[in-house]
Amino acid sequence: MAQLSSLIPLVRERCGGVLDQMAKDQLGRAYQKFCYESRFLARTQEIEQGQDGALNIDSDHVFVSVDFVLDANGYELKSSDDYTVSPNGTVTVINTTPKVRVFYHIAPQFLLPNDFEADNTIVNRWADTIADGAAANLLMMPNTDWTDLAKSDYYKRRFTDGYRDAFRVAVNALDEQRPSQPRVFY
């Protein structure tokens, strides 16, 4: 796991004069938004019939959504018809299948602890994107030496492009595990 504080030099390149603690706070917010918007932190869990359907959520993270659910034969179940999901991440299977595999997303909680361990893949692959998000927020702060709304807008666009790229990567990875649905033509 990686520390977000390792990205402070990248933030300083974009927004000079910022204090380390301010940069670290904004890096945490940018990382949280990146994970939530990109849905990159995907997880898989098998639930057998009769088991509690609570999904495993990493510490300092929250449940975001269920992408899809497969039954024991590998067929995709329909939400509301075959299963329901509570807001806290508990899956209740209505269908009488012996086992289901749930594909779901998590994201970091809003207030991250100081010793928070970020995902290595995200920090290594999208370090510049997360630094762009932090810089966009810092450059919008009023009455500071580094306030620059035009640069903030520029970095905000780059941050958005970065988490959209990660979203495409995450969707492609999930689509490899999702069964193809037969088409019915009338």
Side-chain angles (χ1 to χ4, degrees):
M1 298 301 235
Q3 292 288 327
L4 291 174
S5 59
S6 65
L7 302 179
I8 289 175
L10 294 174
V11 175
R12 285 186 177 272
E13 287 176 11
R14 292 156 174 76
C15 182
V18 68
L19 300 174
D20 284 353
Q21 188 58 43
M22 294 173 81
K24 190 173 180 182
D25 291 344
Q26 294 305 321
L27 281 166
R29 289 184 182 175
Y31 178 77
Q32 194 268 346
K33 182 171 174 85
F34 179 92
C35 292
Y36 187 82
E37 296 292 338
S38 70
R39 308 208 178 216
F40 194 80
L41 295 178
R43 301 290 186 263
T44 305
Q45 182 175 332
E46 287 190 1
I47 301 173
E48 294 189 18
Q49 190 173 19
Q51 279 186 328
D52 178 28
L55 298 174
N56 296 327
I57 310 297
D58 298 356
S59 64
D60 299 323
H61 288 74
V62 295
F63 170 75
V64 176
S65 68
V66 168
D67 222 3
F68 59 94
V69 177
L70 302 178
D71 68 4
N73 298 323
Y75 294 111
E76 188 172 347
L77 300 178
K78 303 285 183 215
S79 178
S80 298
D81 292 341
D82 298 323
Y83 69 92
T84 59
V85 181
S86 70
N88 66 345
T90 301
V91 177
T92 305
V93 180
I94 301 167
N95 193 343
T96 58
T97 183
K99 180 172 51 173
V100 295
R101 176 177 271 165
V102 182
F103 295 81
Y104 62 101
H105 302 283
I106 61 173
Q109 62 189 13
F110 184 69
L111 296 173
L112 297 176
N114 284 335
D115 60 343
F116 179 76
E117 298 277 333
D119 184 71
N120 278 338
T121 304
I122 292 174
V123 171
N124 293 333
R125 188 168 179 180
W126 289 286
D128 286 323
T129 299
I130 295 169
D132 289 342
N137 291 339
L138 288 165
L139 290 165
M140 285 192 319
M141 289 182 160
N143 301 325
T144 61
D145 294 338
W146 57 81
T147 301
D148 188 341
L149 297 180
K151 282 175 71 175
S152 173
D153 189 45
Y154 169 74
Y155 286 125
K156 189 173 186 176
R157 278 185 269 127
R158 285 181 44 147
F159 178 64
T160 302
D161 290 343
Y163 69 67
R164 285 180 179 169
D165 175 54
F167 180 79
R168 282 190 294 275
V169 170
V171 166
N172 289 340
L174 276 175
D175 282 346
E176 291 175 4
Q177 299 179 28
R178 181 179 234 150
S180 60
Q181 297 292 327
R183 292 187 176 186
V184 178
F185 295 100
Y186 294 99

